[in-house]
Amino acid sequence: MQGAQAGRVMMIVIVAGCLFNILSFGLRTGFGLFLDPLSDANGWGREVFSLASAVQNLLWGLGVPFAAAAADRWGTARVLGFGASLYGAGIALMPLATEPWMLHATMGVMVGFGLSCASFSIVLAALGRAVPAEKRTWAFGLGTAAGSMGQFLIAPIEQLLLGLFGWSSALIIIGAMCLLMLPLAWFLRGRPENVAGQQSMGQALREAGSHGSYWYLVAGFFVCGFHVAFILTHLPPYLKDVGVPASIAGWSLALVGLFNIVGSYTAGVLGGRLSKKWLLSLIYLGRAIVITIFVLTPPSSASVLIFAAAMGLLWLSTVPLTSGLVAVMFGPRYMATLFGIVFLSHQVGAFFGVWLGGRIYDATGSYDMVWWLGVALGLFAALIHLPIAERSVRLAPAR
């Protein structure tokens, strides 16, 4: 009877976490659809919006380790609820931005810090506490796939809102939708239990910092952030430049989300059976190959949709494997904090992916240089995961 009740609690946490990720990840994936209309309305080049998005990604990453530490200490629900509120307020205030600094403050600072507190990395840590150790990678894959379901479901809705109400009203509606995350945060309440003789957070951080495999993960996740942020933000305007119909932009982002459901869940399942580091190397190699084919193929609606589907399979399938390796090496006690630091690297990569996309485009009138940089980084990430020692680190004794 007690086992059945524990199973029900576990499923409630998993469902709430998946729904939270659908909203948290899905609502921001359509920001690229607003790049041109918002920039045109204010007479800006693409770099202004790109820098705001880059600041958002960087502050998201910078805030996650602190938000994760707060969740580990004071509970997940408070942090997630605060993040969802700040996230929604930042989006709703974007239409009032008539100067670049105002867009940087709302879309960049407010949404960035809001996302750090409403991050899927904190949700994944809550899922990791709710399931047995042998099911953690599966739960991480399921939670990541849910975020992609949000991209598939919400990106077309945002494009529809943009067409029906205009960009400013659409952003206000999207900001209000963030409030749906508040009741879900309550079901994810809780924090890791303190066990006698267990490490302190300082000991855990020192242990991770002295472990080479941890830094390989940090370096590899930088590349993931570069790819994801550049494509999310700059694929819609790139498609406009090469003459692909505007309707394809929203559907391409949705298709990435749809196929990433398959990719993330499959990575979570395979990560429980096969080597996680080898799977990560293959994913990054696959990204380099897919981007190369896309850049060399004449642009068309069909080529874009094929590219979106292929990238979707490789999109966030890195997350359950990377978070799984953190859990394998260091255990679940400080996973939110340790994975938060890895995620910071992801967001630094996202900063450069978004900002360089706008900067190089405004300077050259083309995205070609950034696409080829993405290929080179994919090959680098495929190699950097190979030396990782995929085993548990001996826990340092508590003093």
Side-chain angles (χ1 to χ4, degrees):
M1 191 70 178
Q2 189 174 6
Q5 184 178 2
R8 284 194 297 271
V9 171
M10 182 182 75
M11 289 308 302
I12 290 172
V13 172
I14 290 175
V15 170
C18 288
L19 290 174
F20 193 98
N21 280 350
I22 285 174
L23 291 167
S24 176
F25 191 81
L27 289 171
R28 67 170 298 276
T29 54
F31 281 174
L33 299 171
F34 295 88
L35 191 157
D36 272 344
L38 192 151
S39 300
D40 291 344
N42 291 283
W44 299 332
R46 291 182 181 176
E47 188 181 359
V48 173
F49 189 98
S50 299
L51 182 58
S53 183
V55 169
Q56 175 195 120
N57 280 283
L58 182 61
L59 294 183
W60 180 6
L62 286 170
V64 163
F66 299 100
D72 282 341
R73 182 167 185 177
W74 292 300
T76 303
R78 291 189 181 96
V79 175
L80 292 177
F82 171 77
S85 302
L86 186 60
Y87 181 10
I91 296 175
L93 291 173
M94 283 173 59
L96 300 179
T98 56
E99 298 291 337
W101 71 267
M102 297 171 71
L103 186 66
H104 298 157
T106 54
M107 180 185 175
V109 177
M110 292 181 68
V111 174
F113 279 129
L115 281 167
S116 71
C117 294
S119 174
F120 67 88
S121 58
I122 296 177
V123 174
L124 293 185
L127 297 183
R129 296 194 300 268
V131 302
E134 65 273 12
K135 292 185 176 181
R136 279 187 192 130
T137 307
W138 165 79
F140 297 156
L142 194 61
T144 307
S148 300
M149 175 63 79
Q151 181 172 339
F152 172 69
L153 294 174
I154 296 175
I157 293 174
E158 291 179 338
Q159 186 171 50
L160 179 64
L161 292 172
L162 181 61
L164 290 175
F165 303 107
W167 66 270
S168 58
S169 297
L171 285 171
I172 294 172
I173 295 170
I174 293 167
M177 291 171 65
C178 291
L179 298 178
L180 297 173
M181 288 184 272
L182 295 179
L184 296 171
W186 184 84
F187 291 100
L188 299 169
R189 65 192 185 280
R191 58 186 179 186
E193 295 181 2
N194 290 315
V195 179
Q198 198 171 47
Q199 282 182 306
S200 67
M201 183 177 292
Q203 289 173 320
L205 291 172
R206 287 192 294 272
E207 183 177 71
S210 64
H211 193 51
S213 294
Y214 183 70
W215 291 110
Y216 295 143
L217 278 181
V218 169
F221 223 34
F222 172 95
V223 177
C224 182
F226 185 98
H227 287 158
V228 169
F230 168 70
I231 292 172
L232 271 182
T233 303
H234 292 285
L235 182 61
Y238 170 78
L239 297 181
K240 178 183 176 183
D241 293 342
V242 297
V244 175
S247 60
I248 298 298
W251 283 110
S252 64
L253 296 178
L255 206 59
V256 169
L258 177 63
F259 277 81
N260 190 42
I261 296 169
V262 178
S264 297
Y265 184 77
T266 302
V269 172
L270 293 178
R273 303 173 183 176
L274 304 175
S275 167
K276 296 176 182 61
K277 70 173 185 178
W278 282 102
L279 290 171
L280 283 168
S281 291
L282 290 174
I283 287 169
Y284 286 111
L285 177 61
R287 286 187 184 187
I289 294 171
V290 168
I291 294 173
T292 299
I293 294 173
F294 178 62
V295 173
L296 296 179
T297 301
S300 67
S301 297
S303 68
V304 171
L305 295 178
I306 292 171
F307 168 76
M311 281 301 297
L313 292 173
L314 308 168
W315 193 247
L316 291 181
S317 52
T318 58
V319 174
L321 300 172
T322 302
S323 55
L325 279 173
V326 173
V328 165
M329 290 188 285
F330 305 106
R333 175 63 183 91
Y334 296 108
M335 183 192 155
T337 303
L338 296 178
F339 181 62
I341 294 171
V342 179
F343 185 73
L344 170 58
S345 176
H346 183 282
Q347 295 309 103
V348 173
F351 173 90
F352 284 104
V354 174
W355 173 67
L356 283 176
R359 179 70 173 178
I360 291 174
Y361 179 86
D362 283 351
T364 67
S366 170
Y367 287 114
D368 289 350
M369 190 183 299
V370 193
W371 284 117
W372 288 115
L373 179 58
V375 171
L377 287 172
L379 296 175
F380 164 78
L383 294 174
I384 200 67
H385 285 87
L386 297 179
I388 289 176
E390 195 170 343
R391 59 179 179 268
S392 177
V393 177
R394 185 182 64 180
L395 297 180
R399 295 178 182 177

